[in-house]
Amino acid sequence: MPEITINGYEVFYREQGSGSVALFVHGFPLDSTMWLEQLDALSDVRRCIAPDLRGFGCSAPSVRPVLTMEDQALDLVALIDVLGVDQVDLIGLSMGGYVALAFAERHPERLRTLALVDTKSTEDSVDAKAGRDAAADRVAAEGRSGLATDMIGVLVAESASSWTRARLRTMIESTPAESIVGALKGMKQRPDRTTALSSLTIPVAVIVGENDVLSPIAEADHMAVAAGAALSVVPGAGHMTPIEDPAAVAGALRSLWSLGQSE
Ligand code: MLT
């Protein structure tokens, strides 16, 4: 895995394929390995790059108490600057979608297309914010194992294999507790970005698992209407559509990319 220094920290990223760049942004509290199936499926048409965000995966642990979506987005801009890439097809799942929307708000000119997967453009409700605080306190006091158990129960549909669940547990339990707490605080303070989404002029796709309880179909529909985007509902999948039904997600991305202007 290549490693480079951006904005003063070491970032690792996975890379597969050649040509125009597609940048894949992982969810919380996961890492770039959640995109492995997409890299395999799409490297014939794109140079697929999947970074570990600051504080996650193999990238350097973060010393910041709050990991904001905006800072993560600026890290991605710095990453493509260092790689000498002008425009990307950006794909974000859940927290990765919040980061992708922060990126799109600041630098729409760097995007060819945007795919929002199992995510939301709305801000957290009052209850969701309180839930972030409770989760952060619990992880700080007890560590990651309880969070992993709770999250796996809602990340995937009931039909998901024990192998998939074990893979998610490894990702969650490998994430430093400080990063989990920092990202919970960062997600809590993100604003509603529906207006920013609706002002984009590039092709946008919204993809959601039929049984996603974390970012339900109503949220996906809200984004699709705001962006004038195609909405793909993946039958039987939960929140982790790229892992639960890789072919459906790869197919939706290929359709989206056929609308964008390739370099
Ligand atoms: C994720 O999958 O990234 C999280 O569920 C996002 C969130 O907690 O809002």
Side-chain angles (χ1 to χ4, degrees), residues 15 19-23 47 49 76-89 103 109-110 112 263:
E15 176 167 358
S20 301
V21 168
L23 188 62
R47 178 183 173 196
I49 295 180
L76 295 180
V77 175
L79 172 64
I80 62 173
D81 282 345
V82 171
L83 295 176
V85 174
D86 182 25
Q87 282 197 319
V88 298
D89 296 292
F103 184 127
E109 78 286 354
R110 306 296 296 272
R112 204 163 30 242
E263 281 168 66

Side-chain angles (χ1 to χ4, degrees), residues 4 20-21 30 36 46-47 49 57 61 80 98 100-101 108 133 142 147 150 163 190 199 205 208 231 257:
I4 54 174
S20 301
V21 168
L30 308 174
L36 285 172
R46 286 292 184 275
R47 178 183 173 196
I49 295 180
I80 62 173
Y98 310 155
L101 284 167
D133 290 337
E142 299 170 15
L147 178 81
D150 289 352
W163 178 80
R190 78 186 191 284
S199 69
V208 65
L231 173 63
W257 295 346

